[in-house]
Amino acid sequence: MKKLAIAGALAASSLGGCAATDATSYPGGAQARGHGAAAVAQVAPGMARYSSEYVDTALWERPGLAPRDRSIVTVSALISRNQLVPLEAQLERALGNGVTPAELSELITHIAFYAGWGNATGAAEVARRVFERHGVRPEQLPAAAGELLPLNEKEEADRAAFVSASFGEVSPGVVENTTRLLFRDAWLRPGLAPRDKSLVTVSSLVAAGQIAQVPVHLNKGMNNGLTQAEASEMLTQLAFYAGWPNVFSALPVFKDVFAKRSRGEAGQR
């Protein structure tokens, strides 16, 4: 298959992260976090207390999901909801938690398909400022197109056949682009591991309230190495960044996926 030149909103770099989990500990983090934190402290002191006593601290230290993965979940939720005010601080925090600029670049590219080009473009502008602060140059970033990861031909053929039979007459263009651009290209870009792409996708779906798509992608994520404990803790993180209603809507779906997998009924399309 011809490799498509799907340009990433930003591309990769080899700059690594450190072990810190607080956005303020990374260069530029304190300034970025201050944009929203000062307003919260002045306008909603109660919210500020919850933030300082739990959301910005203890939440990130809970077992079951590494701080790096919590950053991927949080950044994905913010982009999905187009919440750009806190995004800059969370991008800084992600770097501090070990998410590389390369991975953030691919996160933005991947989430464009699930949150929309407009939301991803807004995120790219915020990430550009963060990258500039850290001296990440465009030439360090991954190419728009290149070698792709191996494709599971049978799994993809089954998925494509199901989608084509279900929706081929409804929207041939959507079906065609789902196969050609999304599953035979974007999902195979090597800059972000398949497990992490599943973290991005499921977080985005839950944050947007798109529960109908969650079983497919949660199963895909668990097939890609995401554990049930990690998926469970993803919801704990998302409750604060996507809201309790979205998470409670997702809980029965996660419960059903977990139960079916325990009975050996897992599947995906």
Side-chain angles (χ1 to χ4, degrees), residues 58-74:
L59 173 64
W60 291 79
E61 298 165 2
R62 285 177 55 88
L65 192 65
R68 172 191 175 275
D69 293 340
R70 289 184 186 275
S71 280
I72 290 175
V73 168
T74 303

Side-chain angles (χ1 to χ4, degrees), residues 18 22-32 92-93 95-96 130 133-134:
C18 61
D22 186 351
T24 63
S25 68
Y26 213 74
Q31 177 184 358
E92 291 283 358
R93 186 170 206 155
L95 292 172
V130 174
R133 271 202 299 273
H134 296 287

Side-chain angles (χ1 to χ4, degrees), residues 42-260:
Q42 292 173 11
V43 173
M47 179 183 171
R49 178 174 68 84
Y50 292 127
S51 295
S52 64
E53 292 181 0
Y54 189 78
V55 180
D56 288 339
T57 52
L59 173 64
W60 291 79
E61 298 165 2
R62 285 177 55 88
L65 192 65
R68 172 191 175 275
D69 293 340
R70 289 184 186 275
S71 280
I72 290 175
V73 168
T74 303
V75 168
S76 299
L78 294 177
I79 295 173
S80 184
R81 295 168 66 82
N82 201 28
Q83 294 175 339
L84 302 184
V85 170
L87 179 60
E88 189 165 352
Q90 291 300 336
L91 289 172
E92 291 283 358
R93 186 170 206 155
L95 292 172
N97 282 338
V99 186
T100 67
E103 292 169 328
L104 289 175
S105 164
E106 288 300 309
L107 185 159
I108 292 172
T109 297
H110 188 76
I111 207 170
F113 287 90
Y114 292 95
W117 245 245
N119 285 9
T121 299
E125 178 59 32
V126 176
R128 181 181 63 82
R129 298 196 297 268
V130 174
F131 279 21
E132 286 177 349
R133 271 202 299 273
H134 296 287
V136 180
R137 301 184 306 276
E139 59 269 23
Q140 294 177 271
L141 305 176
E147 291 299 315
L148 299 176
L149 297 174
L151 176 68
N152 184 325
E153 294 285 356
K154 181 182 184 309
E155 180 182 283
E156 170 54 18
D158 289 346
R159 184 212 60 79
F162 172 81
V163 172
S164 179
S166 300
F167 307 115
E169 295 183 2
V170 179
S171 181
V174 170
V175 171
E176 175 189 348
N177 287 332
T178 298
T179 295
R180 187 169 62 95
L181 298 179
L182 186 54
F183 283 98
R184 286 186 172 269
D185 199 294
W187 269 96
L188 302 180
R189 288 178 60 87
L192 191 65
R195 170 195 175 276
D196 295 342
K197 287 184 177 179
S198 290
L199 267 179
V200 171
T201 305
V202 176
S203 298
S204 176
L205 293 172
V206 173
Q210 298 294 327
I211 304 305
Q213 293 292 308
V214 167
V216 170
H217 287 287
L218 181 55
N219 271 305
K220 185 178 182 70
M222 296 180 79
N223 291 343
N224 285 337
L226 186 69
T227 68
Q228 181 171 323
E230 290 169 333
S232 170
E233 198 58 27
M234 179 197 321
L235 291 175
T236 305
Q237 188 79 9
L238 284 169
F240 292 92
Y241 292 97
W244 251 252
N246 281 328
V247 166
F248 262 83
S249 293
L251 280 169
V253 179
F254 276 60
K255 180 180 179 180
D256 185 61
V257 170
F258 294 163
K260 286 180 177 176

